[in-house]
Amino acid sequence: MAYEVTATRRRPQKFEDLIGQEFVAATLKNSIQSGKIAHAYLFSGPRGCGKTSTARIFAKALNCEKGPTPTPCGECSACKEITKGSSLDVIEIDGASNTSVNDVRQIKDEVQFPPQSSRYKIYIIDEVHMLSNSAFNALLKTIEEPPEYIIFIFATTELQKVPATIKSRCQQFNFRLVPIEKIKEQLALAAAEINIQADEEALYWIAKESTGSMRDAYTLFDQVAAFSESHITYEKIRDKLGLVGTDRLNALFEECAQANPSGAEGKLDDFLQAGISIEQLITNSADYLRSLLLIKNGIAKESLLGQDPARFSKAVLDAWNGTQIERALSIFLQLYRDIRYSLSPRYEIDLAFSRLCWLKEYVSPSEVKVAVDQARSLLGAAPASAPAAASAPQMHFKLPTESGNENPPGGNPPGFNQGAEIGIGGAPKEFHSAPVTQMPDDIDQIRDALITSLSLEDEALASLLKNTSDWAFDGQKILARIPDAFQKSRIDAKLQSLKNKARQLWGKDIAFDVQVHELERQPEQAVQIPKEVDMLVKVFKGEIVGGKV
């Protein structure tokens, strides 16, 4: 007897055999029992989850000699022909290779003829999203009002590519990914059928690698069974497929947890020299860190971890907290994206494990906030959300000067009053300006004092004052001139600031009057044009538009 792959040998033949699609099976069975059978169905979902198998089971249920029945017998000629794919009344079409309008036109011609020996003539179109827009449009009328003996079943992995006009004419069923636990159970049954022993850990790895696809799980199972002889173990899978394995990863990450870059680099080089690809090592490391993060969060479900939680290194779990493991996982996820554009993937992975060796020093923003809050409480500061209390304890520091670390014995640094302090805790204390002094007699000294003082508080106003000229003071008002009206308007908007600064410096109320005084322009001198240039201008009837003569 010819060898038959597991995915074909274990293809579901009844609704009860569908794994992980209980909702779809129950709905179709109820519709058959109640006689409410639609003329078009649309099955969508990921690959290998049972869409085509469900379509065949549904076709057998409708055309069984004992039906329509939700439990086809599988023994009558109709059921056997549908199972073998030789039924003339159940036509399976590959949408990827029949995409044109002509293919659809052939279907439109065929639907006019009733089934030869069955109750219904059923068209199963797989990967229907591959049809062209013209083909979809040509099929619309036929789908909407087919003969009573015609049923269309469409299957697709990309529902978004199916036009809305097709969807609205079909009953839609969304197939789901198969849970890992159920895949593992089916793999155990498949191993028992062919008399092969299989360890739980190996079956969990196969189920997890299939990512919810039953067909992918069976295909990988056949590959593993081919080199495992009569006993499938995780160690054989690791060695034959070039996986790193949890035990090896434990040793590698323990070196990183102990901040031993030389040891980590040595083990990393051993793995790569043994033939393990960098991409595979990154993938296995990311899976390993994900499992550590789940265990750190209290999750010990074996179907999520892929193996027994006790196999993961306790030293690594104790060395890193949850935030640090999250950081490590993000490093490897970004590394997988970066290596395809990298100068050298080996350099990238060396750098990643070097960073892991210093992961203990990584501090998250939340930990920084906690440390700052604790420091504030130790210093006696009020919480950030509460107003500072007047009685909060203060800490004072002497202000350094250019000549030393402390204030000179004779007084404070220039620009600060006696007793100026920096407060920590509560609202910070403001610095006071220099004491009031006598107003100078020289108008230039008055101008320079105002500009110097304002440079620390309002640099824009100080710059405007530098552009003024011809200052004069009559005892009550300062008169000045400025070249343009725009600068005058900006000074006028800050006249009150000027008055306050004068009162602060000299204790007097002084008015300011700034007038616009445009600079006199020198008359332009007529430029004498050379005779040669004037001759060229006249000959070519041109003009001089610029440049120096």
Side-chain angles (χ1 to χ4, degrees):
M1 185 176 179
Y3 172 74
E4 193 174 18
V5 298
T6 304
T8 303
R9 187 180 74 251
R10 293 186 55 81
R11 181 185 288 273
Q13 302 298 328
K14 298 181 294 184
F15 285 117
E16 290 78 11
D17 296 337
L18 291 172
I19 307 301
Q21 314 302 335
E22 290 77 11
F23 167 74
V24 176
T27 305
L28 293 178
K29 289 170 67 175
N30 291 337
S31 66
I32 294 172
Q33 289 176 341
S34 61
K36 298 178 180 179
I37 300 171
H39 57 271
Y41 295 86
L42 178 59
F43 295 164
S44 63
R47 68 184 188 279
C49 60
K51 299 183 294 297
T52 306
S53 297
T54 303
R56 292 180 180 178
I57 296 171
F58 191 47
K60 286 194 293 185
L62 294 177
N63 284 341
C64 180
E65 293 178 358
K66 299 180 181 180
T69 172
T71 55
C73 65
E75 300 294 334
C76 63
S77 59
C79 289
K80 290 182 179 179
E81 289 175 356
I82 295 172
T83 301
K84 294 179 181 179
S86 59
S87 175
L88 297 177
D89 297 323
V90 178
I91 301 97
E92 293 191 29
I93 300 173
D94 179 18
S97 57
N98 297 274
T99 61
S100 66
V101 177
N102 292 331
D103 298 318
V104 174
R105 186 179 294 116
Q106 182 179 353
I107 296 175
K108 293 179 64 178
D109 295 338
E110 292 177 355
V111 297
Q112 304 301 324
F113 301 98
Q116 293 187 6
S117 59
S118 302
R119 193 173 294 107
Y120 292 97
K121 194 172 187 177
I122 301 173
Y123 286 88
I124 301 174
I125 304 180
D126 202 5
E127 300 300 334
V128 70
H129 65 272
M130 298 295 290
L131 295 181
S132 63
N133 290 331
S134 300
F136 274 126
N137 293 333
L139 199 58
L140 288 177
K141 189 64 176 178
T142 305
I143 296 176
E144 187 172 10
E145 296 178 357
E148 59 182 7
Y149 50 80
I150 295 293
I151 293 177
F152 288 97
I153 303 177
F154 303 133
T156 178
T157 55
E158 300 186 37
L159 182 61
Q160 74 278 3
K161 293 185 179 180
V162 179
T165 51
I166 296 292
K167 296 178 185 177
S168 64
R169 289 166 168 81
C170 304
Q171 285 191 11
Q172 299 183 41
F173 291 86
N174 295 319
F175 286 66
R176 305 170 183 174
L177 293 171
V178 183
I180 292 179
E181 287 285 353
K182 293 186 177 181
I183 294 178
K184 181 255 178 187
E185 293 174 2
Q186 296 302 313
L187 293 176
L189 294 175
E193 287 180 358
I194 58 177
N195 297 321
I196 290 182
Q197 293 183 0
D199 292 349
E200 294 283 326
E201 186 178 7
L203 295 181
Y204 267 124
W205 181 86
I206 296 174
K208 186 177 68 172
E209 288 296 310
S210 66
T211 62
S213 172
M214 201 70 237
R215 184 173 60 231
D216 288 3
Y218 284 142
T219 302
L220 184 56
F221 172 80
D222 287 341
Q223 180 182 357
V224 171
F227 61 70
S228 296
E229 298 179 354
S230 60
H231 190 188
I232 299 176
T233 64
Y234 181 74
E235 287 73 18
K236 291 180 180 179
I237 295 175
R238 180 194 64 193
D239 296 336
K240 297 295 183 181
L241 297 183
L243 306 180
V244 185
T246 305
D247 295 337
R248 297 177 180 176
L249 287 174
N250 281 337
L252 175 59
F253 279 88
E254 282 175 1
E255 297 290 347
C256 297
Q258 295 169 6
N260 183 13
S262 61
E265 180 62 28
K267 285 186 168 51
L268 175 61
D269 185 65
D270 292 340
F271 295 158
L272 298 180
Q273 293 296 332
I276 298 173
S277 67
I278 291 178
E279 292 79 3
Q280 186 66 54
L281 179 57
I282 295 172
T283 302
N284 294 152
S285 298
D287 289 340
Y288 179 84
L289 290 168
R290 170 187 175 271
S291 299
L292 291 183
L293 184 60
L294 293 176
I295 296 173
K296 203 72 175 179
N297 292 332
I299 299 174
K301 192 175 180 181
E302 193 169 349
S303 60
L304 282 177
L305 302 177
Q307 50 194 308
D308 188 355
R311 295 201 59 177
F312 294 90
S313 172
K314 189 176 184 300
V316 179
L317 288 169
D318 293 341
W320 292 339
N321 58 33
T323 303
Q324 292 167 339
I325 296 176
E326 285 183 11
R327 174 66 175 171
L329 180 57
S330 68
I331 289 175
F332 278 90
L333 294 177
Q334 185 61 42
L335 175 61
Y336 188 80
R337 292 188 287 265
D338 291 343
I339 57 172
R340 66 186 66 183
Y341 305 112
S342 175
L343 173 67
S344 171
R346 176 63 189 269
Y347 297 167
E348 296 283 353
I349 198 169
D350 287 342
L351 179 61
F353 278 100
S354 177
R355 289 172 176 170
L356 290 187
C357 291
W358 311 111
L359 192 61
K360 285 184 178 180
E361 299 182 10
Y362 172 74
V363 181
S364 66
S366 60
E367 292 174 321
V368 173
K369 179 182 180 303
V370 171
V372 170
D373 291 342
Q374 292 176 349
R376 289 175 60 87
S377 63
L378 291 174
L379 294 174
S385 58
S391 59
Q394 303 287 330
M395 296 184 68
H396 308 289
F397 300 96
K398 294 183 178 180
L399 296 171
T401 64
E402 296 181 358
S403 59
N405 293 328
E406 296 183 356
N407 296 342
N412 292 322
F416 294 96
N417 285 336
Q418 181 71 26
E421 298 172 333
I422 299 177
I424 296 181
K429 295 187 176 182
E430 298 182 355
F431 294 112
H432 300 287
S433 60
V436 176
T437 60
Q438 185 177 359
M439 188 172 184
D441 295 331
D442 188 359
I443 189 62
D444 291 335
Q445 293 180 0
I446 295 175
R447 179 177 181 272
D448 293 341
L450 282 171
I451 292 175
T452 302
S453 182
L454 286 171
S455 296
L456 301 175
E457 302 175 5
D458 193 339
E459 188 175 351
L461 181 55
S463 298
L464 289 171
L465 292 181
K466 291 179 182 179
N467 295 333
T468 58
S469 60
D470 300 335
W471 280 48
F473 181 51
D474 60 3
Q476 299 294 330
K477 180 187 294 185
I478 292 178
L479 303 175
R481 295 181 179 182
I482 200 161
D484 59 75
F486 174 71
Q487 296 187 54
K488 177 184 182 305
S489 64
R490 294 182 63 189
I491 292 178
D492 290 344
K494 298 187 176 185
L495 286 177
Q496 188 60 45
S497 298
L498 280 173
K499 294 178 182 178
N500 293 340
K501 178 54 63 177
R503 185 185 305 112
Q504 183 181 8
L505 291 174
W506 304 299
K508 296 177 62 176
D509 289 331
I510 301 174
F512 289 83
D513 185 8
V514 180
Q515 300 296 328
V516 178
H517 177 66
E518 297 184 358
L519 298 175
E520 296 182 359
R521 296 184 178 180
Q522 298 294 332
E524 297 182 358
Q525 297 180 356
V527 179
Q528 185 176 1
I529 301 174
K531 294 180 180 180
E532 294 81 358
V533 176
D534 185 52
M535 183 184 300
L536 291 173
V537 171
K538 291 178 180 180
V539 170
F540 293 101
K541 297 181 180 181
E543 60 180 350
I544 299 175
V545 296
K548 296 182 179 180
V549 179

